[in-house]
Amino acid sequence: MKVGVVTFPGTLDDRDAARAATHAGTTAVSLWHNDADLKGVDAVILPGGFSYGDYLRCGAISRFAPVMEKIIDAANGGMPLLGICNGFQVLCEAHLLPGALTRNHELHFLCRDQKLEITNNQTAWTSSYKVGQEIVIPLKNGEGSFQCDDATLAALEGEGRIVARYVGENPNGSRNKIAGITNERGNVVGLMPHPEHAIDPLTGPTADGLAFFTSVLNAMVK
Amino acid sequence: MAKIVVDVMLKPEILDPQGVAVSAALPRLGFTFAKSVRQGKRFEIEIDGEPTPAQLAEVEKAAEKLLANPVIETFTVRVEK
Amino acid sequence: MALDTVAIAQANPDTTQPFAELGLKGDEYARIKEILGRRPTSSELAMYSVMWSEHCSYKSSKVHLKQFGEKAVKTDALLVGIGENAGVVDVGQGYAVTFKIESHNHPSFIEPYQGAATGIGGIVRDILTMGARPIAVMDPLRFGPADAADTRRVLPGIIAGVGGYGNCLGLPNIGGEVVFDETYIGNPLVNALCVGVMKHSDIKLAKAAGAGNLVVLYGAKTGGDGIGGVSVLASETFDATGPAKRPAVQVGDPFVEKVLIECSLEIFSEDLVVGIQDLGGAGLSCATSELASGGSGGMKVELDRVPLRDATLSPEEILMSESQERMCAIVEPKNIDRFLEICKKWDVTVTVIGEVTDGERLEITWHGELIVDVPPRTVAHEGPVYNRPLAKPEYVDRVNAEKISVPRPETAAQIKETVLKLAATPNLADKSWVTSQYDRYVQGNTIQSQPDDSGMVRIDEKTNLGVAIATDANANWSYLNPYEGAKLALAEAARNIATAGAKPLAVTNCLNFGSPEDPGVMWQFAESVRGLADGCLEMGLPVTGGNVSFYNQTGAVAILPTPVIGVLGVIDDVRTRTPMSFDRAGLELYLLGDTADDLAGSEWAYMHGQRGGKAPIADLQREMRLIDLLVVGRTSQIFTAAHDLSQGGLSATLTEMVLRHNIGAVIDIENVGTTLISESPGRVVVAVTPEKAAALKNLANKQQITITKIGTTGGTSLIINGADISLTELRKAHTETFSKLFG
């Protein structure tokens, strides 16, 4: 299975996402922001970082990249798509996911080993987890506060589209401690914390994050 | 030559931690006038000549699509003399 | 203002020039005229004034720093030594590692965020320019008292700047220091370290060779950043209606630098440059004169081709600008098209601004007029060399004779109170408030970071080869005895590498001192350099490069001498490293090393207002035996954990160990009133399983290191000689300090 990992100018965690995809048994394929070419991949990851320096708003400029047109089409056709941190921000700016990510409520960049609860294992990226499973993966960002209007929140909760929630103190002010969400179809997932940094206890707090990358092996692509 | 100004603010229901931080800092410096503070962004766009209604409509579209994120922000467009 | 050209300078020898305002002495100005055979143009004057400044020329420190070369141990591991942008060492398996530490003290006092941010940006470019991919940063920081108003002004901005720039570059912050002391009020120290890795064949040097090769400027456009005093050359500034005064602070954009890094590495991978230099202090003046000086000696530059952010800049200002995120490469004509193509791919501004020539002059023109015509070596490498007067200050003997009188923890209540006080004091308290603002995970190779003894990064995913780095300084000891203080800091940094089981390999240093015009400060400097050079020779560690920061003082009061020593080490397999602390009960705890009554310069003495006494005398032979013990112990897998002792002595070390994984310990020590708080160097606490105890004792005996059993791990308290300190209470004391101070 081929998983595309997109690099925008300023993307930082692309090599880590590729490493995670490889560890999971998939083949990582590098995708350049300026090439409208998905190179036949079966799934795509938008990794973390500071694409375009977070100019204007996080992800606001990346969403218009040539590669994004192809990604949006493919996602609308059911291709699994995972946005991590900055990638989540791009997905929201591109309206593939509702809501938006804003400044952490305490204003500081925050890097910590964060406990999460997986609340939906029906998505392309969480099928290898159990519902209610608690995992610890790194959270590291300055703009991770998930915000949306009340109607959107009701829909997300009512339809079970929250994929992961922060356990314990809310680290950034996200509504309902939302750490990750999915679209109606379950193929597009946005996640603020970084599973690619928790694939090996040698370099991360746990190996709890690897299952995001193995889940996609189970996903059926239309 | 004219200047079109687009002011972007977070929607009132969205938490604005920067505004909160500013309003907490003001009294520490002896300024007690503020009941609340919200922080936004201002874009200054220079164009040749005087803006036509068509151009202003274009600016509105650009604001909607790029300068602001309508999910969490509102904006106003005006011409500055 | 009319352009001041070489022709005009030749025709008008008696024009008054503001050399004093630019920081040049009368005799230096005279020397420039002698070198050129005429008065300098205003552009040349600007170049010499900046390049001959203390910061760029090291004129007060050169005579002392040459000891690093003279006393250098002969080693094949040193691939590039002092003199280049950064030193490079061989770490095995074909890899070369480059690392360096630099200061950005004064700008951080003025504009904390940007000062710290551009400090990181600058050191990262120094590493990049050697041909390496930067892989980590560290930030040793020093501030005034934690509760001082000015500390509250500068600290949050500096931390945010270090994090803001480093995080955006995608560089993990793997360690640093946060130290508070009255001495730094008004003079915070922001030292930044960067480490990079490459293959031996990738090493790049700053030399312009090959007549006809092109001089290429790429990166950010040039603006008025950091011009400072040079604006005195533009007469507009004397005019009240003229343009606004140029900003003296440099402003950085980490996104531009991230793109610059990726663009440069792609260029390097295709071997497209003959030489390269980053633009740091003194901007283009420095880059052009150093590249020319390092190469065949000749270069021609058309200054008007430099892409500008601000079209009103004068040529003098362009030459002096310290706009960030710029590099200067020497490229063979056959490679320029590909070079330009790569820059286009990354959307990086790139301009050919000149070429290498056959001659021995650096010639710079402005719209066809010659405004600079100098021998580049005289600008870059043959600046003034001062032999500043030194005099041992009167305080040394007086303060050394002082007797320390501090309360000694003898009873259980006193022991508990002492441990809690030390745990909560700002210098020893938990620093998560700071370090959680730094990304330690990016690049996925961080094995150790704060609060471990050293930062450790894996450099090969297949073989698990890794490097470890630690920085240390002890200004209290350097104040009491600068010669020993430098040796002790060197030993501490090396020991911090060794506790994880890595072998120390090379040294960098950032020497922060007061004014070199003060003979007492100069004596402290000379003694520190002598101590460091002697120490490095004895320990077999080459100094690869470093930085000197003088003039850290307010009025006539200098900071305590603060030489920060960085040591880099290698570990063949990061998976086998010894962790800092224990994660289970039932282990035996041993103290390695000898404890004497070393309270002088200690944190406990400082907390009781006592700064006098005699610093310990470094025993580097014993330190080396201890280091060997730790490295061998790791390869034989004897240790479950190892943690070094430094500020706060045994109390701080035990506090940090029990809180790391929330496993308590029961400790029994003799002479607790001294042993708990003394800061004798050369000591480590290790944890071993009972099965390994015999092997540990054998190893200690073989290495002639004193070994004392001090206790066992387990429980929910730290119990010392019966004093029961619950982990809950200890954690509260340790972790509340920073949030109480800084919110």
Side-chain angles (χ1 to χ4, degrees), chain C residues 451 453 499 579-580 641-645 652-653 656-657 683-686:
Chain C
D453 284 336
T499 55
M580 180 195 120
H643 188 25
D644 142 275
L645 277 76
T653 297
E656 288 157 14
M657 287 181 105
R683 296 178 302 157
V684 172
V685 167
V686 298

Side-chain angles (χ1 to χ4, degrees), chain C residues 324-469:
Chain C
Q324 301 292 292
E325 296 106 23
R326 300 176 298 161
M327 308 277 280
C328 191
I330 308 299
V331 181
E332 290 176 310
K334 67 177 199 244
N335 290 326
I336 190 66
D337 285 341
R338 183 64 189 135
F339 190 105
L340 296 176
E341 215 170 59
I342 294 174
C343 286
K344 184 160 194 269
K345 169 187 169 184
W346 288 98
D347 216 2
V348 172
T349 308
V350 54
T351 324
V352 177
I353 62 168
E355 63 175 32
V356 178
T357 61
D358 259 326
E360 283 170 4
R361 311 288 288 188
L362 168 60
E363 292 168 287
I364 302 179
T365 59
W366 178 255
H367 294 290
E369 306 248 31
L370 189 64
I371 57 170
V372 171
D373 180 2
V374 298
R377 238 172 278 279
T378 64
V379 178
H381 295 133
E382 288 165 15
V385 175
Y386 292 168
N387 222 322
R388 300 252 192 208
L390 339 155
K392 178 171 164 183
E394 72 71 42
Y395 82 78
V396 179
D397 289 337
R398 174 175 46 84
V399 169
N400 279 180
E402 285 172 16
K403 291 274 169 278
I404 304 282
S405 168
V406 289
R408 306 276 175 156
E410 303 284 1
T411 68
Q414 288 165 347
I415 290 170
K416 180 169 175 175
E417 193 192 342
T418 301
V419 170
L420 289 172
K421 272 195 176 149
L422 284 169
T425 195
N427 277 334
L428 303 176
D430 176 270
K431 309 278 190 306
S432 300
W433 186 97
V434 171
T435 59
S436 64
Q437 297 187 49
Y438 302 153
D439 183 349
R440 58 185 183 276
Y441 288 113
V442 64
Q443 298 197 26
N445 286 311
T446 304
I447 307 298
Q448 287 189 172
S449 60
Q450 49 281 9
D452 293 315
D453 284 336
S454 66
M456 185 184 285
V457 181
R458 175 180 61 186
I459 61 176
D460 188 304
E461 281 182 54
K462 289 193 198 63
T463 67
N464 288 296
L465 179 69
V467 292
I469 307 129

Side-chain angles (χ1 to χ4, degrees), chain A residues 7-16 19 23 32-34 50-55 108-113 138-140 197 200 202-205, chain C residues 133 164 167-170 253 255-256 258-259 262 345-346 433 435-447 458 461 464 574-575 577 742-743:
Chain A
T7 300
F8 301 100
T11 291
L12 301 177
D13 301 298
D14 43 357
R15 289 154 82 203
D16 304 285
R19 185 192 289 118
H23 268 246
W32 183 239
H33 70 102
N34 221 18
F50 289 78
S51 60
Y52 292 99
D54 282 355
Y55 292 160
H108 296 306
F109 181 95
L110 179 63
C111 174
R112 67 190 297 233
D113 297 338
L139 177 70
K140 42 167 211 172
H197 288 313
D200 181 353
L202 180 63
T203 53
Chain C
R133 171 175 281 282
N167 295 342
C168 192
L169 287 184
D253 182 341
F255 168 64
V256 172
K258 166 63 178 171
V259 171
E262 297 306 326
K345 169 187 169 184
W346 288 98
W433 186 97
T435 59
S436 64
Q437 297 187 49
Y438 302 153
D439 183 349
R440 58 185 183 276
Y441 288 113
V442 64
Q443 298 197 26
N445 286 311
T446 304
I447 307 298
R458 175 180 61 186
E461 281 182 54
N464 288 296
V574 296
R575 297 171 303 184
R577 91 207 181 285
F742 301 109

Side-chain angles (χ1 to χ4, degrees), chain C residues 23-46:
Chain C
L24 287 168
K25 304 265 184 295
D27 59 318
E28 289 168 337
Y29 179 62
R31 181 151 166 248
I32 294 169
K33 290 205 281 195
E34 207 188 332
I35 289 169
L36 299 177
R38 52 167 170 81
R39 74 155 176 85
T41 64
S42 59
S43 295
E44 289 164 338
L45 185 63

Side-chain angles (χ1 to χ4, degrees), chain B residues 18-71:
Chain B
Q18 282 163 289
V20 169
V22 170
S23 63
L26 284 171
R28 285 203 292 268
L29 297 168
F31 300 113
T32 52
F33 48 68
K35 227 182 109 179
S36 77
V37 176
R38 286 181 75 74
Q39 182 174 305
K41 271 183 256 195
R42 172 180 153 123
F43 298 87
E44 295 184 349
I45 303 164
E46 276 188 9
I47 61 165
D48 283 327
E50 287 305 306
T52 66
Q55 276 173 326
L56 285 173
E58 291 251 298
V59 172
E60 293 255 350
K61 275 215 296 240
E64 177 90 26
K65 185 148 195 214
L66 182 69
L67 303 180
N69 181 349
V71 174

